[in-house]
Amino acid sequence: MTLYNRRDLGLLLLRVGTGGVLVAHGAQKLFGWFGGHGLEGTGQFMESVGYRPGRASATAAGLAETGGGALLALGLATPAAGAAAAGAMAGAAAVHVPNGFFAQEGGYEYAASLGLAAAGLAVTGPGRLSLDHALHHVADRGWMVPAALGVTAAVTTAVVGMRGRRVRREREGEQEVLFGA
């Protein structure tokens, strides 16, 4: 009998891969690493797409991505880590929805993929090759899954909803071009 099975190895690969991408993505926002714009540039971008205040929004997104990704990769506090990362990706997807699905057209494909992987790990759990397992799942109890996902869904819905209302209000005064020049 083997100590670890294919499921545990698969979850480890999924956690480390998804978590690593999220850490890098968040580090772009927080520190300007990997070609990112840091808090200042990301904050300006957040303002331009309707997330206000921009710097606070950039900080929240960066922490959710970096922290959630690191915890996912380690398999620690998996329900909260997966929920935080999924919430951040839902906020990112909302910005890209007008561009359609595919990332090559600026769509939400990439954010949706990361968010669904993170949410899936929150629900499934980290497997036996994880810190949660080594620590006897003290931060990975069954009740934590619906709690973490529920709180994250409520907060994300409120934040994305406020952004949507703000963007619609700003566009109300814009005149559509009737004839091309």
Side-chain angles (χ1 to χ4, degrees), residues 1-141:
M1 187 166 104
T2 60
L3 182 60
Y4 303 108
N5 60 31
R6 288 179 14 200
R7 180 182 178 275
D8 295 317
L9 291 173
L11 287 169
L12 174 66
L13 289 170
L14 185 59
R15 281 193 354 259
V16 170
T18 302
V21 170
L22 285 162
V23 167
H25 202 61
Q28 289 180 310
K29 289 176 178 64
L30 293 175
F31 312 116
W33 296 352
F34 312 116
H37 299 288
L39 283 175
E40 189 64 34
T42 304
Q44 290 172 5
F45 171 75
M46 293 289 219
E47 286 272 345
S48 78
V49 296
Y51 286 115
R52 295 193 184 106
R55 187 175 177 92
S57 297
T59 301
L63 288 173
E65 292 168 9
T66 305
L71 290 172
L72 277 177
L74 295 169
L76 181 62
T78 305
M89 292 297 100
V95 172
H96 296 282
V97 163
N99 300 324
F101 178 71
F102 292 104
Q104 68 198 33
E105 303 294 326
Y108 63 94
E109 171 187 22
Y110 178 69
S113 296
L114 285 175
L116 287 168
L121 286 165
V123 171
T124 303
R128 291 184 289 178
L129 295 170
S130 66
L131 287 178
D132 276 337
H133 181 74
L135 298 172
H136 307 287
H137 298 277
V138 295
D140 179 30
R141 304 281 185 208

